[in-house]
Amino acid sequence: MSTEQKITWTHYNYPPVLRLVHLNINELPSNRILPARLAHWSFIMMVIGFVFNTLYSFSFVFDDVSVWKPFFYSLFTGLVYSMIGGFAFYQCYRCLAINSPSTTKLYIITEAIVKVMVFYIFITCSNSSHGVMCLANDLTIFGYIFTIIESLCYLSSIALSVFAFYKIYHAIFSAAARLKSIRNRTSRK
């Protein structure tokens, strides 16, 4: 029985409140659970970074009510990037579950795009992000704390994603290479 038959794709359970897609990491083969968990934590750390970004931008409103613009920029950026990141994570799950070249390519492309975007947010200091470049500005202690936490969330998201990709590569491509070498040995006999 293949992995695809074990997964109940019509049982929509993720994200917890919205229930848009099916996601149960425990339905994956045992050698693919760790990469899926790493990718999931990478996505969660990215979302937590955006939550801190939005909260920090919202704190400016208390100082000056006319400064809603950075709050809406960070809220919009967080929502859009989180949706794209969620799509990339779901492609990772599908890649590990289905194991077809098209799902693997889609995962690699979407994950690369998301991590470039997260790296950009990690670095830049603008209305919609408070990356490490903001540490050079004159911030309050509150600003330094939020900027450091936000940047650490993005950095950990990138690191977890790279480690997950490494594990996914070995789970998918190493298994395919072993299978090919077994086929070559049996065909020679």
Side-chain angles (χ1 to χ4, degrees):
M1 192 152 129
S2 74
T3 307
E4 291 178 66
Q5 294 171 341
K6 293 180 183 176
I7 295 177
T8 318
W9 292 104
T10 57
H11 179 250
Y12 303 125
N13 60 350
Y14 193 83
V17 176
L18 299 175
R19 298 176 183 227
L20 299 174
V21 294
H22 174 74
L23 179 81
N24 186 351
I25 292 174
N26 296 323
E27 291 178 344
L28 295 172
S30 60
N31 68 332
R32 295 177 181 203
I33 290 176
L34 177 62
R37 288 193 196 284
L38 290 169
H40 189 228
W41 275 105
S42 171
F43 169 65
I44 288 172
M45 292 307 293
M46 181 187 73
V47 171
I48 291 171
F50 286 124
V51 168
F52 273 99
N53 181 18
T54 305
L55 289 175
Y56 182 49
S57 295
F58 186 69
S59 71
F60 296 139
V61 176
F62 292 118
D63 291 338
D64 184 6
V65 181
S66 64
V67 211
W68 282 93
K69 196 179 201 181
F71 168 70
F72 285 118
Y73 279 156
S74 64
L75 181 66
F76 179 74
T77 301
L79 288 173
V80 170
Y81 280 34
S82 294
M83 286 188 283
I84 296 169
F87 178 76
F89 166 63
Y90 190 65
Q91 295 313 309
C92 170
Y93 177 73
R94 288 185 65 232
C95 165
L96 291 168
I98 297 173
N99 197 19
S100 75
S102 61
T103 57
T104 304
K105 284 178 191 173
L106 187 58
Y107 159 65
I108 291 170
I109 291 167
T110 56
E111 189 65 24
I113 291 169
V114 168
K115 290 314 157 193
V116 166
M117 292 181 338
V118 171
F119 185 73
Y120 174 77
I121 294 291
F122 166 70
I123 296 289
T124 60
C125 183
S126 66
N127 279 336
S128 63
S129 67
H130 308 102
V132 293
M133 290 177 75
C134 287
L135 294 173
N137 296 346
D138 186 27
L139 301 172
T140 63
I141 189 72
F142 180 75
Y144 280 115
I145 291 171
F146 262 73
T147 301
I148 289 170
I149 291 172
E150 180 184 338
S151 297
L152 286 174
C153 287
Y154 297 143
L155 186 62
S156 63
S157 173
I158 293 167
L160 285 167
S161 177
V162 168
F163 189 53
F165 185 79
Y166 171 77
K167 289 293 200 179
I168 291 167
Y169 177 82
H170 283 287
I172 292 176
F173 296 111
S174 295
R178 282 190 299 252
L179 183 62
K180 187 176 180 181
S181 69
I182 291 170
R183 285 183 188 156
N184 287 340
R185 277 188 256 146
T186 56
S187 65
R188 288 182 206 156
K189 293 180 181 179

